[in-house]
Structure formats: C-alpha cells, structure tokens
Amino acid sequence: MLHAHLSPGPLPSRMQLTKDGKLKHFLTIEGLPPLLLEEILDRAEQFVTLPNKQQKKAPLLRGKTVMNLFFENSTRTRVTFEIAAQRLGADVTNLDIRTSSASKGETLLDTVRNLEAMNADMFVVRHEHAGAAHFIARYCAPHISVLNAGDGRHSHPTQAMLDMFTIRQKKGSFQPLKVAIVGDVLHSRVARSQIHALTTLAAGEVRVVAPKTLVPAGIERMGVNVFHHMEQGIEDVDVVIMLRLQRERMQTALLPSEREFFKLYGLTEERLQLAKPDAIVMHPGPINRGVEIDSRVADGLQSVILEQVTNGIAVRMAVMSMIMGSQGGAA
C-alpha cells in the first residue's frame, strides 16, 4: 500500500536525468529528448549483435544488486529484466509480493526503506497504481535508480522502447512510417508510452484505432489521429500494433462482448491486406487469440511478436547499463 501522507503526483521529466543529461531513473518516455531515445536503441543494437556467449559475459553491473519489485503479475517483463540484469553480471533478487510484508499491510515506503538497507542499487518496479515508480524514485536513497516496469494505466517505457527497437530493426527510419495502435487504448500504459516514443522519434503518422468507449478523452492532444473504424484505421499503414483487452481494469461494461469486439476490431488476414504489403504486426502480449487477433495473423509471416520478446532483453540491458554508467558503475 502507498504511504497515507505521500502522494506520488506528477514529477518533472528532468528528474530522470543527471545534471549532464544522462539517465538516472527510467520512469516515463514523456519529455525525454530524441537523442536519448536513439542512444538507447543504439546501445541495444550492440547487445543484439553480440554473440550469445559474449552477451553472457558483459559484466557491466558486476557487484551491483538489482531488486525486481513486481506488485502485479508478469511473465515477459519480469523474466526479461531478470535475464538482462544477469547477463550484465548483477546479483538479482525477485521480491515475491504474495509472501512479503506488503501483503500484511506494510506501506510501499516502508518496504523500500527495508530493501534499501539490504544494499540495493536498482529497483525494477511494476505496480497497479500510476505513479508508484515515481514515488519510489522520489523517496529512495540517492544512490539507487528506479526503472518503471509498468504503473497502472500510466507508463511502460521499456516495452515502448523494445517496440521502437523492433520497428527500427524492420523498417529503418521512423519518419516515413504510418503506425496504427489498435484496441484497448483507454487502459493501456503501453499505448501511452508508444505514442510518446513514436512522436518523439518523429514517426510520419500515429493512429489510434478503437471504439469510442476505449479511447481516452483528449488523446488527440498527444499528436495522434483517431479512427473508430478498423478498416479505415489500418489502411496503408506500415506497422499494426494490437493491444490486449484489459478486462481486469474495466470497471463498467465498455463492450457488448469479446465476440463483437473481434468482429469489429479483430486483426484478421483479410483486414491485414488493407495495410501495406510489407506491414509488420506487433503485440506487447499476452495475446488473446480470437479476441484482438486471429491465430493465422499472430503466427503469420508478417508477425514480429516473438522478436519483440527477444529484443526486450537487449533493450533492458541497454537501459540498465546506461543508468549504471551515469552512476560511474559502467562504461
């Protein structure tokens, strides 16, 4: 639980950076300069191109302790963060919230204070409440860095960066691209971070495609074009990013049924033909087959979904090594 007297609140993006512009924390993509995002992509490229044996011998975090604090369930994100930290030579601890003192009512701040006392150097945080990672970054010891692994509906910056890495890997420059983000945008922290990343990297056009009930009010101010018809939204795009329906975050009935959603917004082979012939299909996972995407598309030749997972390790290695570099702990 969050401390009763300490609200996370919005924090300036400069909080993430040191005085000389290097990463101190990685909490959100909003407000970060394009050169820094490109530096993350370039650094990740170095880890991807290393042979596997060399990847496992990149001890840039040797002697450091990384603690994974996952207050929500996760498979891909938690495991890839763990692999990334291990490949960089760090000691990794996974806090099991179900058996920790947090399940007995301990505040988030008290949990952090106790983990600080165990000489942590980096916290990787996933939490159901927006702002939880910012809160920890604000109040943790100065030598500790915080990586946001997803907070409420707010932000999931490393997922967005691995998506940008995959797009650049397949398409090269962002400038000429039309990208459609399709599905439950209302509840998606991934979509918000993707939009910030794509607009910062100057993508040609970013589209949001969803029923009116699943589009946040005023999202046009983020620099996107909104479509409520699937066929119009994915026409002539270079990249289709499908999102999962997040039933667990829906407090009211926003859809008639999953079958109706698939009928109107599901990505099928027939609909994918409306995009460019070489369009790629992405999904941050987990996939709901037959709800937002047909299996023939998810497993088809244009799908890069599993490559996204693989790239997640390299991108998280890049972010961790850059943060430790800003602390003088890695080159």
Side-chain angles (χ1 to χ4, degrees):
M1 61 187 295
L2 294 175
H3 193 286
H5 303 293
L6 299 174
S7 172
L11 293 175
S13 58
R14 63 179 179 272
M15 175 190 173
Q16 301 185 95
L17 305 179
T18 62
K19 290 181 180 178
D20 55 356
K22 295 181 179 179
L23 272 182
K24 162 64 177 172
H25 305 289
F26 196 41
L27 307 173
T28 177
I29 289 174
E30 184 178 8
L32 292 179
L35 284 178
L36 184 58
L37 301 192
E38 291 171 5
E39 184 182 352
I40 293 171
L41 300 179
D42 292 342
R43 179 71 71 97
E45 191 73 48
Q46 297 173 16
F47 290 118
V48 164
T49 55
L50 281 175
N52 285 337
K53 288 184 178 178
Q54 289 185 32
Q55 281 187 17
K56 295 176 182 176
K57 297 178 181 177
L60 301 174
L61 269 62
R62 179 177 292 165
K64 302 294 184 181
T65 299
V66 176
M67 293 191 172
N68 288 330
L69 316 182
F70 278 64
F71 296 82
E72 279 188 327
N73 293 332
S74 170
T75 301
R76 280 159 295 278
T77 302
R78 186 186 61 77
V79 172
T80 53
F81 262 116
E82 185 174 351
I83 293 173
Q86 289 174 340
R87 288 188 177 177
L88 291 169
D91 295 321
V92 183
T93 298
N94 295 306
L95 182 66
D96 187 344
I97 299 303
R98 291 168 300 180
T99 58
S100 76
S101 293
S103 66
K104 302 175 183 176
E106 184 176 68
T107 67
L108 181 59
L109 189 57
D110 283 334
T111 299
V112 168
R113 292 280 184 259
N114 279 275
L115 295 173
E116 283 179 2
M118 301 175 199
N119 297 318
D121 296 291
M122 184 181 291
F123 291 141
V124 179
V125 181
R126 168 168 286 194
H127 203 288
E128 62 182 330
H129 293 303
H134 292 68
F135 177 85
I136 294 173
R138 174 183 284 176
Y139 293 106
C140 69
H143 72 280
I144 295 177
S145 293
V146 178
L147 277 76
N148 184 1
D151 61 327
R153 302 182 188 181
H154 175 235
S155 182
H156 197 346
T158 59
Q159 176 67 47
M161 289 310 298
L162 75 87
D163 294 337
M164 297 307 108
F165 185 83
T166 306
I167 291 173
R168 194 178 77 164
Q169 198 176 47
K170 297 295 180 183
K171 296 294 181 182
S173 173
F174 288 91
Q175 281 76 12
L177 299 182
K178 296 178 182 177
V179 181
I181 302 172
V182 184
D184 187 359
V185 181
L186 179 65
H187 301 98
S188 176
R189 53 198 174 203
V190 174
R192 286 167 178 76
S193 292
Q194 289 168 336
I195 292 169
H196 284 307
L198 287 164
T199 54
T200 301
L201 293 167
E205 181 184 3
V206 184
R207 302 178 182 179
V208 163
V209 186
K212 292 180 180 178
T213 53
L214 294 181
V215 176
I219 196 169
E220 295 90 345
R221 292 195 292 271
M222 294 181 72
V224 303
N225 294 322
V226 177
F227 293 79
H228 297 302
H229 295 282
M230 179 72 165
E231 286 76 10
Q232 295 173 359
I234 67 170
E235 184 177 5
D236 201 33
V237 299
D238 302 275
V239 180
V240 183
I241 303 175
M242 300 303 297
L243 301 173
R244 180 177 67 87
L245 274 184
Q246 300 191 33
R247 287 286 190 188
E248 72 276 16
R249 299 188 196 279
M250 295 183 188
Q251 297 176 344
T252 57
L254 299 175
L255 295 169
S257 69
E258 292 181 347
R259 177 179 295 183
E260 187 71 10
F261 180 82
F262 183 74
K263 180 180 177 182
L264 295 174
Y265 294 95
L267 186 61
T268 61
E269 288 183 318
E270 292 74 21
R271 285 197 171 116
L272 184 55
Q273 291 179 8
L274 296 170
K276 289 183 178 175
D278 62 347
I280 58 173
V281 176
M282 307 176 69
H283 194 303
I287 294 172
N288 290 317
R289 294 172 184 264
V291 177
E292 65 260 5
I293 189 169
D294 187 273
S295 285
R296 289 172 295 179
V297 176
D299 302 327
L301 295 176
Q302 291 170 264
S303 171
V304 296
I305 294 171
L306 292 180
E307 291 175 70
Q308 290 175 257
V309 178
T310 301
N311 290 335
I313 298 172
V315 167
R316 285 162 180 143
M317 289 175 75
V319 173
M320 287 178 160
S321 63
M322 287 170 63
I323 285 176
M324 281 302 164
S326 73
Q327 296 182 2

